[in-house]
Amino acid sequence: MTNASSDVAGPRPRDSLGCSVEKLDEDRTIDGGNMTFHRKRSARAPAGRVSTPATGRGYLIGVSASGGHRRRIIREHHSTVHEFEENSIYVRTFSDDYRADLNGSFDFMLLEVSHSALERITDGADIKGVTELNSVAGHADPVLGGMLGALFATVDGQAGRSALFVDQLSAAIGIHLVRQYGNGRAAGKGRRLSMRSQSLLKDLAQSRLAGDVTVEELAGICQLSQATFLRAFRETLGKTPHQWLSQQRIEKAIHLLEFTQAPLREIATLCGFSDQSHFTRAFVQAMGATPGVWRRHRQS
């Protein structure tokens, strides 16, 4: 869908997904290990037809963050029109040629997963026989929309996320994808973490408070798949690994505040907070007072 003026100006630059990258209000990418996440937003859909030739890249999943988007997907002998409301999803394989005309607003959270990554996700999700994802378009999936929204949400005006938070959400998103859109079946039953596993997890967390910890590492210590581990973790401890690690950091900070004279900035670093202001916000949320006020109260 080009016109004379666009022909004169030359071809528009396009991203790896076949979309024009001109005038995007937001264009962000997050590396999630097994998946790559994108957030692309503009008041109007990218100009021109989206077109990607068949490749072996795997799958692309898109979730509309708001309504008002329409696309006509063009196939060899026919085309279909789909209205995308908030949390409407599409799943498509890169192994087929893809052509689509986009209209209306454009506000999508996207994730790309390769065939090898899909295999790894399947192995960690207690799902048997998943060899592909089923293609859908316009299907509502508020669960996936909520998880992707949390991944791209800003906190205190910042878009950064801890490595464990991204890894934890990536694992949950991958499990959801293979369970909802994979062609296999679930296996295995839920379980709780043993006291020994909980002790090993705490030892690892205390030794790595200032570094990155992944769900894969935590699950490996417990000798569980990632899917079974995440279910067992929440069932046993009543929180996510990210929330639990934050609690471990606060507990370490409390010990240092009470029994050392280390400066607040140093404590923030030792406990894995990005800076002193991050430490203060987290401490106030957990303890109801700033670290300095809490320390003075304990010392008095």
Side-chain angles (χ1 to χ4, degrees):
M1 294 181 65
T2 59
N3 52 36
S5 61
S6 63
D7 291 337
V8 172
R12 293 182 173 89
R14 295 184 178 273
D15 61 19
S16 63
L17 306 179
C19 293
S20 169
V21 296
E22 292 180 318
K23 299 180 180 178
L24 283 177
D25 299 317
E26 184 175 3
D27 188 5
R28 296 164 54 197
T29 298
I30 297 175
D31 181 9
N34 282 326
M35 292 171 285
T36 302
F37 301 94
H38 307 277
R39 178 69 188 268
K40 296 179 182 290
R41 177 176 59 85
S42 64
R44 302 183 66 178
R49 176 168 292 175
V50 172
S51 178
T52 54
T55 66
R57 286 167 59 182
Y59 296 89
L60 180 68
I61 297 91
V63 179
S64 180
S66 60
H69 178 79
R70 175 189 301 158
R71 69 177 54 192
R72 182 168 68 97
I73 301 175
I74 303 157
R75 297 177 175 84
E76 184 177 1
H77 300 296
H78 71 287
S79 65
T80 56
V81 177
H82 303 272
E83 301 283 348
F84 283 81
E85 300 301 329
E86 184 177 4
N87 294 324
S88 292
I89 179 176
Y90 68 80
V91 179
R92 69 177 178 93
T93 174
F94 282 115
S95 62
D96 296 332
D97 291 331
Y98 185 81
R99 293 179 297 157
D101 295 330
L102 313 183
N103 292 280
S105 61
F106 187 85
D107 189 358
F108 274 81
M109 299 173 290
L110 306 129
L111 64 96
E112 184 176 348
V113 56
S114 67
H115 291 290
S116 59
L118 180 64
E119 184 177 349
R120 291 193 298 272
I121 292 169
T122 299
D123 289 342
D126 293 335
I127 302 288
K128 304 299 181 183
V130 172
T131 57
E132 61 184 31
L133 297 179
N134 300 313
S135 295
V136 299
H139 174 75
D141 191 338
V143 173
L144 182 58
M147 288 191 288
L148 287 172
L151 184 65
F152 282 103
T154 60
V155 177
D156 295 330
Q158 301 297 317
R161 283 289 184 268
S162 72
L164 181 59
F165 182 83
V166 173
D167 189 59
Q168 170 190 300
L169 261 183
S170 297
I173 288 169
I175 293 166
H176 178 78
L177 285 178
V178 296
R179 288 183 180 275
Q180 290 295 115
Y181 306 105
N183 61 340
R185 58 184 178 83
K189 296 182 179 180
R191 57 185 297 174
R192 293 176 64 86
L193 296 178
S194 66
M195 293 303 296
R196 180 175 182 276
S197 291
Q198 293 180 56
S199 178
L200 290 172
L201 289 173
K202 189 160 187 174
D203 288 344
L204 175 65
Q206 290 296 323
S207 68
R208 298 268 295 279
L209 286 180
D212 293 335
V213 181
T214 68
V215 172
E216 183 178 8
E217 285 182 283
L218 297 175
I221 286 176
C222 302
Q223 297 183 326
L224 298 173
S225 70
Q226 292 185 41
T228 301
F229 168 74
L230 289 173
R231 290 196 300 270
F233 194 98
R234 181 177 284 278
E235 179 68 23
T236 306
L237 299 173
K239 53 177 64 69
T240 67
H242 173 69
Q243 293 168 333
W244 173 79
L245 184 61
S246 297
Q247 178 183 333
Q248 302 305 306
R249 287 175 170 153
I250 292 295
E251 290 179 1
K252 178 68 172 180
I254 287 173
H255 176 83
L256 293 174
L257 287 169
E258 186 166 6
F259 297 106
T260 76
Q261 295 300 316
L264 298 183
R265 186 181 301 275
E266 181 181 339
I267 292 175
T269 301
L270 290 172
C271 296
F273 295 99
S274 58
D275 53 35
Q276 187 174 333
S277 63
H278 178 207
F279 170 42
T280 299
R281 291 195 303 272
F283 198 90
V284 169
Q285 184 175 11
M287 304 300 295
T290 66
V293 169
W294 188 92
R295 170 183 265 175
R296 289 192 295 272
H297 176 73
R298 295 292 292 184
Q299 291 176 342
S300 64

